[in-house]
Amino acid sequence: MTPTTSADLPTAAHRNQLLRTMMSEHAKALLAYADKLLNDRHMAEDIVQETLIRAWPHAERLYSTEGSVRGWLLTVTRNLVVDRMRSAVARHETIGAEDKDVPLPDHTGAVLASVVATGLLRRLSHEHREVLLHTYLCGRTVQETARVLGIPAGTVKSRRHYALNILRAEAGKGLSPER
């Protein structure tokens, strides 16, 4: 083993020149590769910067060996992208996804319809409301409603008919423009 002298060590100026050469020859290709993997330009720029920072101490060795400088840089870039994606998945984040507000269903129409229906039903007499309750809400037939209420089936039909007419008329008043 031969001892290393200060003359054998690359100077900072020489390493800086190798870094500038590396950037001019490979930065665009690294950025395009990282951007394609991530689909996020800003994160790709961060990855390329980290790749070049990691390459800087090894610049002399990279240019003095027979291997491909770009191949080494692309491998480091890919590894950094994979590390970044794995860390994001571990935190339940998605790379490149924007936080989007998810629209919630609007229930105001249903609430308004319920308020209007309640108001209309309050305008009916107790007997009319009772018949509508049994025939529509409870799903009973005219005969079943008559038996439960203790009135004739004809009376159930009559009350239902008049109750619906009243509701239609009242609803029509609310929908027509005021004069």
Side-chain angles (χ1 to χ4, degrees):
M1 185 159 139
T2 59
T4 307
T5 64
S6 61
D8 295 334
L9 294 174
T11 64
H14 181 65
R15 276 196 310 192
N16 287 341
Q17 178 58 37
L18 288 176
L19 181 61
R20 280 192 289 276
T21 302
M22 200 180 310
M23 287 175 59
S24 66
E25 291 177 356
H26 305 290
K28 284 184 182 179
L30 292 173
L31 183 58
Y33 180 61
D35 191 25
K36 183 175 180 173
L37 292 175
L38 292 167
N39 199 23
D40 181 345
R41 180 74 174 198
H42 296 292
M43 191 160 311
E45 290 171 354
D46 290 346
I47 295 291
V48 170
Q49 182 179 7
E50 181 65 27
T51 300
L52 293 172
I53 288 171
R54 290 186 183 196
W56 185 58
H58 308 288
E60 180 77 26
R61 190 168 22 139
L62 285 171
Y63 279 103
S64 67
T65 60
E66 294 178 18
S68 167
V69 173
R70 184 169 287 185
W72 188 88
L73 292 170
L74 288 172
T75 300
V76 170
T77 299
R78 183 184 57 79
N79 290 342
L80 288 170
V81 166
V82 169
D83 290 346
R84 183 74 54 103
M85 290 173 74
R86 284 181 180 160
S87 68
V89 169
R91 292 188 312 264
H92 305 291
E93 296 175 356
T94 306
I95 300 295
E98 298 174 7
D99 290 332
K100 296 182 181 177
D101 291 332
V102 178
L104 298 175
D106 186 14
H107 299 292
T108 56
V111 171
L112 179 62
S114 174
V115 168
V116 169
T118 302
L120 288 173
L121 288 171
R122 285 192 178 139
R123 293 179 185 174
L124 295 176
S125 69
H126 174 72
E127 292 81 16
H128 288 124
R129 265 196 318 268
E130 196 173 40
V131 166
L132 291 181
L133 170 79
H134 287 284
T135 55
Y136 287 102
L137 295 179
C138 296
R140 294 189 173 111
T141 65
V142 172
Q143 284 72 26
E144 291 171 337
T145 302
R147 190 174 58 250
V148 169
L149 296 177
I151 57 176
T155 305
V156 171
K157 288 180 185 180
S158 172
R159 286 181 183 172
R160 184 178 63 186
H161 171 78
Y162 287 115
L164 292 175
N165 282 345
I166 293 169
L167 288 177
R168 284 186 197 107
E170 291 294 322
K173 284 183 195 174
L175 296 177
S176 64
E178 293 184 27
R179 297 180 198 234

